[in-house]
Amino acid sequence: LCKWWGAYKYTLLSTRYHDMYLVKDLFKLWLVRSEQEFHYVNYCLEIPKERIVKVPLHYRIESVSNIDMKENFCLHVSRLSAPGKNVARLIAAAKKYGFELKLAGALGDNEKLWFDNLVGDAKNIEYLGMVSDAELKLLYQRAKVFALPSLIEGVGMVALEAAAYGCEIVLTNID
């Protein structure tokens, strides 16, 4: 609704946050995931506290108590071509510093060419494609490091899941 009604698509003079502000009164209830989101919705959008409900984040996999020896690679899981996920910078870092990087997630046909151009002939970067939940758990168990260099989110669910499996976590400083 925000995108459809918002002025951004007509004038490019708005942002998604302004668009949200324009339609804020159409919603009777706001669901947020954290105290930071609660504060944003209350203070910035001027939504009364009574209309905001916090629904805590919950990861979808169980944590493990016995963590085996980790393999020396960095894992990243996301919609890889999304600009805010910052995958291009992660790939550049892997090429520059030579660490093993495994990337899992969706890439469309047009995006695959973008990805292949970024990786080039780097032998230390592996594209795994889409993985099942069972494969993802195995990757979490094996990976020494999980990187989420996102420009638009703080702690994502995949980072929490990776931490539950004993991965060292590298995140950007986004609240």
mmCIF file with all atom_site columns, all heavy atoms in Angstrom, residues 12 16 38 44 50 66 71 107 109 136 146:
data_model
loop_
_atom_site.group_PDB
_atom_site.id
_atom_site.type_symbol
_atom_site.label_atom_id
_atom_site.label_alt_id
_atom_site.label_comp_id
_atom_site.label_asym_id
_atom_site.label_entity_id
_atom_site.label_seq_id
_atom_site.pdbx_PDB_ins_code
_atom_site.Cartn_x
_atom_site.Cartn_y
_atom_site.Cartn_z
_atom_site.occupancy
_atom_site.B_iso_or_equiv
_atom_site.pdbx_formal_charge
_atom_site.auth_seq_id
_atom_site.auth_comp_id
_atom_site.auth_asym_id
_atom_site.auth_atom_id
_atom_site.pdbx_PDB_model_num
ATOM 1  N N   . LEU A 1 12  ? 9.996  10.805  -7.298  1.00 0.00 ? 12  LEU A N   1
ATOM 2  C CA  . LEU A 1 12  ? 11.315 10.417  -6.794  1.00 0.00 ? 12  LEU A CA  1
ATOM 3  C C   . LEU A 1 12  ? 11.816 11.372  -5.720  1.00 0.00 ? 12  LEU A C   1
ATOM 4  O O   . LEU A 1 12  ? 12.998 11.447  -5.444  1.00 0.00 ? 12  LEU A O   1
ATOM 5  C CB  . LEU A 1 12  ? 12.337 10.297  -7.920  1.00 0.00 ? 12  LEU A CB  1
ATOM 6  C CG  . LEU A 1 12  ? 12.010 9.280   -9.010  1.00 0.00 ? 12  LEU A CG  1
ATOM 7  C CD1 . LEU A 1 12  ? 13.066 9.325   -10.100 1.00 0.00 ? 12  LEU A CD1 1
ATOM 8  C CD2 . LEU A 1 12  ? 11.886 7.880   -8.450  1.00 0.00 ? 12  LEU A CD2 1
ATOM 9  N N   . ARG A 1 16  ? 10.765 5.478   1.190   1.00 0.00 ? 16  ARG A N   1
ATOM 10 C CA  . ARG A 1 16  ? 9.783  4.503   1.672   1.00 0.00 ? 16  ARG A CA  1
ATOM 11 C C   . ARG A 1 16  ? 9.324  4.864   3.080   1.00 0.00 ? 16  ARG A C   1
ATOM 12 O O   . ARG A 1 16  ? 8.211  4.558   3.472   1.00 0.00 ? 16  ARG A O   1
ATOM 13 C CB  . ARG A 1 16  ? 10.344 3.093   1.602   1.00 0.00 ? 16  ARG A CB  1
ATOM 14 C CG  . ARG A 1 16  ? 11.536 2.861   2.461   1.00 0.00 ? 16  ARG A CG  1
ATOM 15 C CD  . ARG A 1 16  ? 12.039 1.432   2.335   1.00 0.00 ? 16  ARG A CD  1
ATOM 16 N NE  . ARG A 1 16  ? 13.212 1.260   3.142   1.00 0.00 ? 16  ARG A NE  1
ATOM 17 C CZ  . ARG A 1 16  ? 14.333 0.724   2.730   1.00 0.00 ? 16  ARG A CZ  1
ATOM 18 N NH1 . ARG A 1 16  ? 14.433 0.286   1.507   1.00 0.00 ? 16  ARG A NH1 1
ATOM 19 N NH2 . ARG A 1 16  ? 15.356 0.598   3.537   1.00 0.00 ? 16  ARG A NH2 1
ATOM 20 N N   . PHE A 1 38  ? 9.887  -0.538  17.837  1.00 0.00 ? 38  PHE A N   1
ATOM 21 C CA  . PHE A 1 38  ? 8.813  0.040   18.650  1.00 0.00 ? 38  PHE A CA  1
ATOM 22 C C   . PHE A 1 38  ? 9.031  1.541   18.795  1.00 0.00 ? 38  PHE A C   1
ATOM 23 O O   . PHE A 1 38  ? 8.114  2.342   18.579  1.00 0.00 ? 38  PHE A O   1
ATOM 24 C CB  . PHE A 1 38  ? 8.787  -0.633  20.028  1.00 0.00 ? 38  PHE A CB  1
ATOM 25 C CG  . PHE A 1 38  ? 7.606  -0.224  20.877  1.00 0.00 ? 38  PHE A CG  1
ATOM 26 C CD1 . PHE A 1 38  ? 6.481  -1.017  20.934  1.00 0.00 ? 38  PHE A CD1 1
ATOM 27 C CD2 . PHE A 1 38  ? 7.620  0.963   21.604  1.00 0.00 ? 38  PHE A CD2 1
ATOM 28 C CE1 . PHE A 1 38  ? 5.387  -0.647  21.704  1.00 0.00 ? 38  PHE A CE1 1
ATOM 29 C CE2 . PHE A 1 38  ? 6.533  1.353   22.374  1.00 0.00 ? 38  PHE A CE2 1
ATOM 30 C CZ  . PHE A 1 38  ? 5.413  0.540   22.428  1.00 0.00 ? 38  PHE A CZ  1
ATOM 31 N N   . CYS A 1 44  ? 8.784  8.276   15.461  1.00 0.00 ? 44  CYS A N   1
ATOM 32 C CA  . CYS A 1 44  ? 8.901  8.847   14.110  1.00 0.00 ? 44  CYS A CA  1
ATOM 33 C C   . CYS A 1 44  ? 7.582  8.868   13.350  1.00 0.00 ? 44  CYS A C   1
ATOM 34 O O   . CYS A 1 44  ? 7.307  9.805   12.607  1.00 0.00 ? 44  CYS A O   1
ATOM 35 C CB  . CYS A 1 44  ? 9.946  8.089   13.310  1.00 0.00 ? 44  CYS A CB  1
ATOM 36 S SG  . CYS A 1 44  ? 11.595 8.198   14.039  1.00 0.00 ? 44  CYS A SG  1
ATOM 37 N N   . GLU A 1 50  ? -0.374 2.195   22.373  1.00 0.00 ? 50  GLU A N   1
ATOM 38 C CA  . GLU A 1 50  ? -1.459 1.210   22.471  1.00 0.00 ? 50  GLU A CA  1
ATOM 39 C C   . GLU A 1 50  ? -1.718 0.498   21.151  1.00 0.00 ? 50  GLU A C   1
ATOM 40 O O   . GLU A 1 50  ? -2.336 -0.560  21.130  1.00 0.00 ? 50  GLU A O   1
ATOM 41 C CB  . GLU A 1 50  ? -2.761 1.877   22.929  1.00 0.00 ? 50  GLU A CB  1
ATOM 42 C CG  . GLU A 1 50  ? -2.671 2.644   24.233  1.00 0.00 ? 50  GLU A CG  1
ATOM 43 C CD  . GLU A 1 50  ? -2.027 4.015   24.069  1.00 0.00 ? 50  GLU A CD  1
ATOM 44 O OE1 . GLU A 1 50  ? -2.378 4.772   23.143  1.00 0.00 ? 50  GLU A OE1 1
ATOM 45 O OE2 . GLU A 1 50  ? -1.147 4.326   24.900  1.00 0.00 ? 50  GLU A OE2 1
ATOM 46 N N   . ASN A 1 66  ? 26.219 -29.709 21.024  1.00 0.00 ? 66  ASN A N   1
ATOM 47 C CA  . ASN A 1 66  ? 27.517 -30.288 20.697  1.00 0.00 ? 66  ASN A CA  1
ATOM 48 C C   . ASN A 1 66  ? 27.992 -29.709 19.363  1.00 0.00 ? 66  ASN A C   1
ATOM 49 O O   . ASN A 1 66  ? 27.488 -30.081 18.314  1.00 0.00 ? 66  ASN A O   1
ATOM 50 C CB  . ASN A 1 66  ? 27.402 -31.816 20.616  1.00 0.00 ? 66  ASN A CB  1
ATOM 51 C CG  . ASN A 1 66  ? 28.744 -32.471 20.357  1.00 0.00 ? 66  ASN A CG  1
ATOM 52 O OD1 . ASN A 1 66  ? 29.791 -31.855 20.559  1.00 0.00 ? 66  ASN A OD1 1
ATOM 53 N ND2 . ASN A 1 66  ? 28.714 -33.709 19.909  1.00 0.00 ? 66  ASN A ND2 1
ATOM 54 N N   . GLU A 1 71  ? 34.942 -25.783 10.039  1.00 0.00 ? 71  GLU A N   1
ATOM 55 C CA  . GLU A 1 71  ? 35.805 -25.683 8.864   1.00 0.00 ? 71  GLU A CA  1
ATOM 56 C C   . GLU A 1 71  ? 36.130 -24.210 8.634   1.00 0.00 ? 71  GLU A C   1
ATOM 57 O O   . GLU A 1 71  ? 35.349 -23.327 8.979   1.00 0.00 ? 71  GLU A O   1
ATOM 58 C CB  . GLU A 1 71  ? 35.115 -26.284 7.647   1.00 0.00 ? 71  GLU A CB  1
ATOM 59 C CG  . GLU A 1 71  ? 34.878 -27.776 7.793   1.00 0.00 ? 71  GLU A CG  1
ATOM 60 C CD  . GLU A 1 71  ? 34.102 -28.346 6.619   1.00 0.00 ? 71  GLU A CD  1
ATOM 61 O OE1 . GLU A 1 71  ? 34.238 -27.837 5.485   1.00 0.00 ? 71  GLU A OE1 1
ATOM 62 O OE2 . GLU A 1 71  ? 33.340 -29.300 6.846   1.00 0.00 ? 71  GLU A OE2 1
ATOM 63 N N   . LEU A 1 107 ? 19.625 -16.424 -7.116  1.00 0.00 ? 107 LEU A N   1
ATOM 64 C CA  . LEU A 1 107 ? 20.138 -15.584 -8.198  1.00 0.00 ? 107 LEU A CA  1
ATOM 65 C C   . LEU A 1 107 ? 19.322 -15.903 -9.443  1.00 0.00 ? 107 LEU A C   1
ATOM 66 O O   . LEU A 1 107 ? 19.258 -17.056 -9.861  1.00 0.00 ? 107 LEU A O   1
ATOM 67 C CB  . LEU A 1 107 ? 21.608 -15.889 -8.511  1.00 0.00 ? 107 LEU A CB  1
ATOM 68 C CG  . LEU A 1 107 ? 22.685 -15.253 -7.653  1.00 0.00 ? 107 LEU A CG  1
ATOM 69 C CD1 . LEU A 1 107 ? 24.050 -15.734 -8.103  1.00 0.00 ? 107 LEU A CD1 1
ATOM 70 C CD2 . LEU A 1 107 ? 22.618 -13.744 -7.693  1.00 0.00 ? 107 LEU A CD2 1
ATOM 71 N N   . ASP A 1 109 ? 18.466 -15.458 -13.635 1.00 0.00 ? 109 ASP A N   1
ATOM 72 C CA  . ASP A 1 109 ? 19.328 -15.602 -14.814 1.00 0.00 ? 109 ASP A CA  1
ATOM 73 C C   . ASP A 1 109 ? 20.158 -14.351 -15.077 1.00 0.00 ? 109 ASP A C   1
ATOM 74 O O   . ASP A 1 109 ? 21.356 -14.425 -15.308 1.00 0.00 ? 109 ASP A O   1
ATOM 75 C CB  . ASP A 1 109 ? 18.486 -15.937 -16.059 1.00 0.00 ? 109 ASP A CB  1
ATOM 76 C CG  . ASP A 1 109 ? 17.876 -17.325 -15.962 1.00 0.00 ? 109 ASP A CG  1
ATOM 77 O OD1 . ASP A 1 109 ? 18.430 -18.166 -15.224 1.00 0.00 ? 109 ASP A OD1 1
ATOM 78 O OD2 . ASP A 1 109 ? 16.843 -17.560 -16.609 1.00 0.00 ? 109 ASP A OD2 1
ATOM 79 N N   . LEU A 1 136 ? 21.138 -26.178 4.847   1.00 0.00 ? 136 LEU A N   1
ATOM 80 C CA  . LEU A 1 136 ? 21.495 -24.951 5.546   1.00 0.00 ? 136 LEU A CA  1
ATOM 81 C C   . LEU A 1 136 ? 22.000 -25.266 6.958   1.00 0.00 ? 136 LEU A C   1
ATOM 82 O O   . LEU A 1 136 ? 23.008 -24.719 7.405   1.00 0.00 ? 136 LEU A O   1
ATOM 83 C CB  . LEU A 1 136 ? 20.302 -24.003 5.600   1.00 0.00 ? 136 LEU A CB  1
ATOM 84 C CG  . LEU A 1 136 ? 20.545 -22.638 6.224   1.00 0.00 ? 136 LEU A CG  1
ATOM 85 C CD1 . LEU A 1 136 ? 21.657 -21.883 5.495   1.00 0.00 ? 136 LEU A CD1 1
ATOM 86 C CD2 . LEU A 1 136 ? 19.261 -21.823 6.207   1.00 0.00 ? 136 LEU A CD2 1
ATOM 87 N N   . PHE A 1 146 ? 30.046 -16.622 9.942   1.00 0.00 ? 146 PHE A N   1
ATOM 88 C CA  . PHE A 1 146 ? 28.890 -16.227 9.142   1.00 0.00 ? 146 PHE A CA  1
ATOM 89 C C   . PHE A 1 146 ? 28.938 -14.722 8.992   1.00 0.00 ? 146 PHE A C   1
ATOM 90 O O   . PHE A 1 146 ? 29.046 -13.998 9.988   1.00 0.00 ? 146 PHE A O   1
ATOM 91 C CB  . PHE A 1 146 ? 27.574 -16.639 9.803   1.00 0.00 ? 146 PHE A CB  1
ATOM 92 C CG  . PHE A 1 146 ? 26.383 -16.269 8.972   1.00 0.00 ? 146 PHE A CG  1
ATOM 93 C CD1 . PHE A 1 146 ? 25.903 -17.134 8.009   1.00 0.00 ? 146 PHE A CD1 1
ATOM 94 C CD2 . PHE A 1 146 ? 25.772 -15.036 9.116   1.00 0.00 ? 146 PHE A CD2 1
ATOM 95 C CE1 . PHE A 1 146 ? 24.823 -16.777 7.211   1.00 0.00 ? 146 PHE A CE1 1
ATOM 96 C CE2 . PHE A 1 146 ? 24.698 -14.664 8.335   1.00 0.00 ? 146 PHE A CE2 1
ATOM 97 C CZ  . PHE A 1 146 ? 24.226 -15.548 7.376   1.00 0.00 ? 146 PHE A CZ  1
#
